[in-house]
Amino acid sequence: MGASAPDLEAIAGRFDLPAAVTAVTPLGNGNVNDTYRVDTASGERFVLQRLNTQVFPQPELVMGNLQLLSDHAERRRNGLGAGSGEGRWELPRVIPNRHSGNPWVTANDQFWRLISFVDGAVTVDAIANPEQAHQVGRGLGLFHSLISDLPTDQLADTLPGFHITPGYLDAYDQTLKRVEIQLCEAGQWCTEFVEQRRQLAPVLEAAKADGRLRLRPIHGDPKVNNVMLCASTGVAVSLVDLDTVKPGLVHYDIGDCLRSACNPLGEEAEPTEAIHFDLDLCRAVLEGYLGAARDSLSDTDLDHIFDAARVISFELGLRFFSDHLAGDVYFRTQRPGHNLDRARVQFKLTESIEAQEQDIRAIVEGLR
Ligand code: GN1
Ligand code: MG
């Protein structure tokens, strides 16, 4: 961050903490916000985040949603704890600014928030075995049942167009027209891949438009490293990264969870032929998810699970590829060509999903 690096300890100290800050260290590897762990003299730990205001131009609205969600979880805490089987389940709490009482601090036009740390829990960037996959699916199912009665008319839309696949296709077309870029062989392959799947883009939106699928509160970003697993038992204890909670199709979430959890090499892997969608992990995710949320899904919902996995993998590939063409303006990158490689991984995953359509549909059938 160079010479103008923010004074992280001072920023953390402006929140209403129980004790002095002793250390602030980078945490996780999100593609949008910057995240740090805050240690305090009492031993209690917190998560400090700088919101990316390019992606979230109205961060106060994000915080309003987060507050609504955490109040809702607080009200539901006992009920859900009883229903979740293993007991422990929590959501991060929002810590206010000690002076203004607002759930944020601004410093040099940067927007910061502090939330509680989910202790004794870990995240993984790629799934290692079906038991982890089961827990990730179960975590998403518990989260969906927790927010199923969230008053969504009070939620702001902090990211208009999020997960509307045809919108990403339009944006891609605009970008292709706008940028003067000589495509390399891999870029050429990506454009052909997208051309062949134009008709796939509206699959969920069409089902929404004609009433087959309905809007419900969703998480928006349930990739595997947003599910916290108990460090000792491996059981899912929390879903974090709550910036995109809003009304949507649960299929965006189920699709995102599947594309993330069933890619054992992870989304940051080299884009080689080894990238594949793993059927055992798929079965485990869906068993976990349906074990917690089956009652809320109709037969029509189940009919669209295959399409969800396919289209959300395609959509993420399209988003990465568009960002590569646009000059890496949305997703954080570590090197030139990073977003192109990420796009190729998601497209290879899409191909693997397509090649296993009958097996994936059979797994869903087996769980009806
Ligand atoms: C972004 O910031 P992070 O890493 O949690 C993105 C998701 C993508 C994900 C892919 C608001 O999430 O939609 O699936 O990258 N979040 C936003 O890693 O665009
Ligand atoms: Mg996120």
Side-chain angles (χ1 to χ4, degrees), residues 120-124 132 135-136 227-232 234-238:
V122 294
T123 58
V124 293
Q132 274 181 355
Q135 286 302 324
V136 165
V227 182
M228 305 222 55
L229 306 173
C230 175
S232 52
V235 163
V237 293
S238 184

Side-chain angles (χ1 to χ4, degrees), residues 310-332:
R310 182 182 178 211
V311 79
I312 297 295
S313 307
F314 173 69
E315 176 192 284
L316 184 58
L318 185 62
R319 293 173 63 201
F320 283 141
F321 186 45
S322 299
D323 199 33
H324 168 71
L325 296 175
D328 301 327
V329 291
Y330 186 98
F331 296 104
R332 181 181 299 125

